[in-house]
């Protein structure tokens, strides 16, 4: 039987895996949606773009739903506090995502240019808005979120919606948006040919360059721009029952760099976050599109992993009441809940991976205009 402290670490890793899996799998769908109005100039070209992700996008949403469910069950205090502070931002994500199922299903039902163009831009919103907001959220986490707990552990968000849209958070949003666009561009280049592939390659290269520049700029801003991190001055017992107020947290200029100082091997993550987009851009330029997609996936692992490694053990630090910051040790569910969830994950996660792999293998290959014309009533 695993002890409580080990279960806490395991679920920190598993939530990270789910978030990276969501970014890779649903991220390329969103990236393709972001590129839809630009990679496809006429109706048939846009149908080609949509059909590269049409058969898979809803299956890839499993990663998003599972990640949200895992946070709800494994980190209930994080879930509750995040929905308090990020309420309108998360609603904006939900509203943007509404365009995706309706757009995919109804876009080509009516042969009307205005109807189809409207849904094309709806799919663009559904692909472009969520990554931007998720990036802004990460930017705010790195600065600390203004919330606090009372004696009954009821959280109160003391900031405003507009406070979330600060310059550093917006830069983090640029990192996220460019990263997802790069990923969608490499996937679109892999599944198409001709003029659509050329546009996808150009978009992937440009987005990769923006990803590198914004990622490096964000790192420098954290290091020398006056943004203080968080550090434990007194760590709670890892095996103790959760109590967010049973610790002492201080702000420190070295806060987000402490783990990298103690574990130099972690520098492989930001290095991957820089070299991955560069490799993706180089590989997609010479039409090695599958390798470019893998490089783009590794870049996402590096960028998301960089933030996760820097913040550990913090999950949601508080800028207004640092001692109330939520960490791996004090924001989790009971040992029984974590153990039961771990058992379900061990069973079902491999099944999801196997089914997804099989689906992509069956529906692999190029999508062309000729394919759309030959399957007028079955293609998206």
């Amino acid at each position: 039987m695993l002890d409580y402290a080990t279960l806490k670490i395991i679920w920190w890793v598993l939530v990270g895996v789910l978030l990276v899996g969501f970014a890779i799998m649903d991220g390329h769908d969103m990236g393709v949606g972001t590129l839809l109005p630009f990679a496809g100039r006429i109706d048939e070209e846009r149908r080609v773009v949509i059909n590269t992700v049409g058969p898979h996008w809803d299956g890839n949403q499993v990663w998003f739903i599972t990640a949200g469910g895992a946070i709800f069950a494994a980190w209930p205090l994080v879930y509750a506090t995040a929905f308090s502070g990020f309420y309108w931002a998360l609603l904006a994500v939900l509203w943007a995502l509404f365009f995706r199922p309706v757009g995919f299903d109804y876009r080509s039902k009516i042969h009307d240019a205005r109807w189809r163009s409207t849904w094309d831009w709806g799919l663009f919103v559904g692909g472009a808005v969520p990554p931007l907001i998720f990036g802004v959220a990460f930017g705010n986490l790195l600065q600390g979120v203004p919330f606090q707990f009372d004696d009954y552990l009821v959280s109160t968000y003391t900031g405003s919606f507009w406070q979330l849209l600060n310059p550093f958070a917006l830069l983090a949003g640029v990192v996220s948006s460019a990263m997802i666009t790069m990923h969608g561009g490499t996937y679109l280049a892999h599944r198409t040919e001709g003029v659509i592939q050329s546009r996808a390659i150009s978009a992937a290269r440009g987005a990769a360059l923006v990803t590198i520049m914004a990622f490096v700029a964000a790192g420098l801003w954290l290091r020398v721009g006056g943004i203080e991190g968080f550090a434990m001055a007194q760590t709670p017992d890892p095996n103790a029952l959760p109590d967010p107020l049973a610790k002492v947290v201080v702000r420190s200029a070295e806060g987000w760099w402490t783990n990298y100082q103690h574990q130099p091997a972690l520098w492989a993550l930001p290095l991957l976050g820089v070299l991955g987009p560069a490799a993706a851009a180089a590989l997609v330029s010479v039409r090695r599109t599958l390798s470019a997609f893998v490089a783009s996936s590794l870049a996402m692992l590096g960028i998301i992993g960089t933030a996760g490694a820097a913040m550990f053990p913090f999950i949601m630090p508080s800028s207004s009441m640092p001692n109330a910051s939520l960490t791996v040790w004090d924001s989790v569910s009971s040992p029984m809940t974590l153990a039961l969830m771990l058992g379900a994950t061990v069973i079902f996660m491999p099944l999801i991976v196997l089914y997804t792999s099989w689906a992509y293998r069956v529906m692999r290959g190029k999508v062309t205009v000729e394919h759309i014309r030959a399957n007028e009533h079955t293609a998206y």
Side-chain angles (χ1 to χ4, degrees), residues 203-251:
R205 288 187 304 201
L209 178 60
V210 174
T211 300
I212 295 171
M213 294 173 62
F215 181 56
V216 172
L220 291 173
W221 196 337
L222 280 175
R223 185 60 178 171
V224 300
I227 296 177
E228 292 183 324
F230 292 74
M232 291 279 202
Q234 179 184 329
T235 305
D237 179 3
N239 281 297
L241 292 175
D243 182 359
L245 300 180
K247 62 181 179 297
V248 178
V249 175
V250 296
R251 300 296 301 265

Side-chain angles (χ1 to χ4, degrees), residues 254-280:
E254 298 296 321
W256 295 146
W257 305 94
T258 302
N259 291 334
Y260 290 98
Q261 293 169 357
H262 292 165
Q263 300 291 336
L266 292 176
W267 284 102
L269 291 169
L271 184 63
L272 192 60
V274 172
L275 296 182

Side-chain angles (χ1 to χ4, degrees), residues 6-361:
T6 303
L7 284 170
K8 292 175 180 180
I9 293 295
I10 288 174
W11 271 102
W12 179 79
V13 173
L14 285 177
V15 171
V17 169
L18 289 170
L19 291 176
V20 172
F22 163 62
I24 292 174
M25 298 307 299
D26 206 22
H28 72 259
D29 297 335
M30 291 183 178
V32 169
T34 302
L35 294 174
L36 171 61
F38 314 104
R41 303 290 174 79
I42 60 175
D43 181 64
E44 287 183 329
E45 291 177 351
R46 291 183 176 181
R47 293 191 70 187
V48 168
V49 173
I50 292 172
N51 275 268
T52 61
V53 297
H56 303 290
W57 76 269
D58 47 355
N60 292 334
Q61 287 280 102
V62 169
W63 291 91
F64 178 53
I65 296 169
T66 305
I71 293 173
F72 170 78
W75 297 340
L77 281 175
V78 174
Y79 189 90
T81 306
F83 268 86
S84 175
F86 298 153
Y87 183 76
W88 288 108
L90 292 173
L91 273 183
V93 170
L94 183 62
W95 292 332
L97 290 175
F98 285 162
F99 286 105
R100 300 182 75 199
V102 184
F104 280 115
D105 285 343
Y106 288 100
R107 187 262 181 201
S108 296
K109 298 293 186 184
I110 299 177
H111 292 273
D112 180 83
R114 288 175 298 179
W115 169 271
R116 294 186 173 187
S117 178
T118 299
W119 286 116
D120 289 340
W121 286 104
L123 289 171
F124 166 80
V125 170
V129 170
L132 176 63
I133 294 178
F134 290 144
V136 169
F138 261 98
N140 278 282
L141 290 178
L142 287 166
Q143 297 173 92
V145 181
F147 72 90
Q148 56 193 38
F149 287 109
D150 62 18
D151 292 338
Y152 299 98
L153 293 185
V154 175
S155 65
T156 301
Y157 177 70
T158 58
S160 66
F161 171 78
W162 300 110
Q163 188 176 341
L164 299 175
L165 303 178
N166 57 81
F168 179 79
L170 292 174
L171 176 60
V174 171
V175 175
S176 178
S177 295
M179 176 180 71
I180 293 298
T181 303
M182 169 190 68
H183 199 50
T186 59
Y187 180 79
L188 188 59
H190 182 63
R191 295 295 311 278
T192 59
E193 57 186 25
V195 66
I196 301 175
Q197 185 186 60
S198 297
R199 293 170 188 153
I201 289 172
S202 297
R205 288 187 304 201
L209 178 60
V210 174
T211 300
I212 295 171
M213 294 173 62
F215 181 56
V216 172
L220 291 173
W221 196 337
L222 280 175
R223 185 60 178 171
V224 300
I227 296 177
E228 292 183 324
F230 292 74
M232 291 279 202
Q234 179 184 329
T235 305
D237 179 3
N239 281 297
L241 292 175
D243 182 359
L245 300 180
K247 62 181 179 297
V248 178
V249 175
V250 296
R251 300 296 301 265
S252 167
E254 298 296 321
W256 295 146
W257 305 94
T258 302
N259 291 334
Y260 290 98
Q261 293 169 357
H262 292 165
Q263 300 291 336
L266 292 176
W267 284 102
L269 291 169
L271 184 63
L272 192 60
V274 172
L275 296 182
L283 289 166
V284 79
S285 297
V286 294
R287 302 301 201 271
R288 296 185 60 179
T289 53
L290 182 58
S291 297
F293 182 79
V294 172
S296 177
S297 301
L298 292 174
M300 301 174 87
L301 170 62
I303 292 171
I304 297 172
T306 295
M311 292 180 63
F312 181 86
F314 292 93
I315 301 172
M316 192 171 181
S318 170
S319 59
S320 59
M321 187 179 181
N323 289 350
S325 298
L326 298 175
T327 73
V328 170
W329 312 123
D330 54 26
S331 60
V332 297
S333 294
S334 67
M336 179 176 289
T337 300
L338 297 183
L340 289 174
M341 288 174 56
L342 180 60
T345 301
V346 169
I347 295 172
F348 290 105
M349 181 68 76
L351 294 178
I352 293 173
V353 173
L354 286 173
Y355 170 76
T356 302
S357 301
W358 173 80
Y360 272 87
R361 177 175 177 80

